[in-house]
Amino acid sequence: MTHMTDYQCPVCGVRAPVESLAWCCPRCRGPWDLDFSAGAVPRDSLAARAGSLWRYEEALPLGAAGATGGGPAAVSLGEGRTPLVPLTGTVTAKLDFLMPTLSFKDRGAVMLAELARHLKPRRVIADSSGNAGTAIAAYCARAGLDCTVYVPEATSPKKIEQIAAHGARPDLVPGDREAAARRAHAAAGEDGVFYASHVHNPYFLHGTKTYVYEVWEDLGGRLPDALVLPAGNGTLLLGAHLAVGELYAHGLIAQRPALIAVQAAAVAPLAAAFHAGEQDATPAAAAPTLAEGIAIPDPPRARQILSAVRASGGTFHTVTDDQIRAAQLDLAARGLFVEPTGAACWAAVRAHGLGDRTAVVPLCGAGAKTGLATGG
């Protein structure tokens, strides 16, 4: 395993070796960061590399044999390299719903599965409202790893079916998304268990950052004025923040884009904290919303998300279920069928506008996972 590094708590400074299987800081119980410095990615040589996110191996905390053409790759289903499609004269969509498991979560799941393959745990566990669980299940299947995914009992039946089809065990937990997380936290303390947490494990964020590396590559070594990103647990946004910082530090971009974060109006603790000038978010009450994938009442990385958006000169927007429903239908009319959560960023662009700035929005999950939004 190349680029091996330690976990480090961003609050307490506590460190732990990855081999310890510690899933959170033992002192504050917060999520880990990595003590890792990315190398510069040579854009001019990327064309000859693997057609997956492993092509950016200099920037990844796990190396992949074969990324530069020297042998079989690490765990992979050919994830990444999703296309950019114009929506307006200035706004472009990145079609991450075309990933192998039909959501952007494959970017982080492949990193966690590769890490688990090296660590050889007795079993892998995860918790999810659906998309992260299906991604972890698929990549564990690819890596030959035993896997259990804890999901809320109200999770879309199609997502539960997909988890089971990959050979993982979906464990339906009574209650909401937080109840599923608590069940996973309890199981994570068992011996030989690797908790493939898309929230607490920073390897996931180093996978999602490839979203921005792809935009940078496909736009000829530049980034748009703004990146519009969903913000529930903030895994794509924080990955984007990592990538922007790395590209800027290596002189590969001249300026940093603004990060425009989008939350569902029904559950928007981050947006409320941002606009109130707070450094951390106050937990919100759980509430039903079409954008179930970003309806996180108490995101563990709230401080990091707020800091990243502020540092970029960005802002937060919220969208209602009616706006999400309209955006989903609008995208479908353009030939792009995404799930309601996946339409949230486009809903924000339509509702709030971006002026004359260039922007990229992610279409994060396929409509086949949930179907069309109804009601209203």
Side-chain angles (χ1 to χ4, degrees), residues 155-240:
T155 298
S156 164
K158 293 181 180 180
K159 294 180 180 180
I160 295 171
E161 180 181 5
Q162 189 181 4
I163 290 170
H166 291 309
R169 290 177 297 279
D171 191 325
L172 275 62
V173 179
D176 59 11
R177 178 68 182 80
E178 297 303 308
R182 288 191 295 271
R183 181 72 66 83
H185 296 171
E190 300 172 9
D191 289 340
V193 170
F194 175 69
Y195 180 21
S197 172
H198 60 289
V199 180
H200 286 80
N201 194 300
Y203 279 87
F204 195 94
L205 305 181
H206 284 271
T208 62
K209 75 182 181 185
T210 59
Y211 172 91
V212 168
Y213 275 94
E214 290 178 16
V215 173
W216 166 77
E217 180 185 354
D218 291 343
L219 292 183
R222 61 182 179 85
L223 291 176
D225 299 325
L227 294 167
V228 187
L229 299 157
N233 277 310
T235 54
L236 184 56
L237 187 147
L238 289 173

Side-chain angles (χ1 to χ4, degrees), residues 32-135:
W32 292 118
D33 281 349
L34 281 184
D35 182 12
F36 171 70
S37 296
V41 173
R43 186 172 63 87
D44 292 344
S45 66
L46 289 175
R49 294 192 176 189
S52 71
L53 62 76
W54 294 111
R55 69 199 279 111
Y56 309 111
E57 64 174 354
E58 291 88 354
L60 297 175
L62 288 171
T68 55
V75 172
S76 181
L77 291 168
E79 60 290 326
R81 308 302 299 131
T82 56
L84 293 169
V85 174
L87 294 177
T88 72
T90 57
V91 180
T92 302
K94 185 161 174 60
L95 310 191
D96 259 26
F97 69 90
L98 297 180
M99 288 284 197
T101 75
L102 307 182
S103 92
F104 86 95
K105 296 291 178 61
D106 288 12
R107 295 186 183 277
V110 66
M111 294 292 292
L112 294 183
E114 176 66 5
L115 177 60
R117 187 173 72 90
H118 285 279
L119 296 177
K120 297 180 173 60
R122 176 171 55 84
R123 68 177 180 129
V124 175
I125 66 167
D127 61 292
S128 172
S129 59
N131 284 340
T134 58

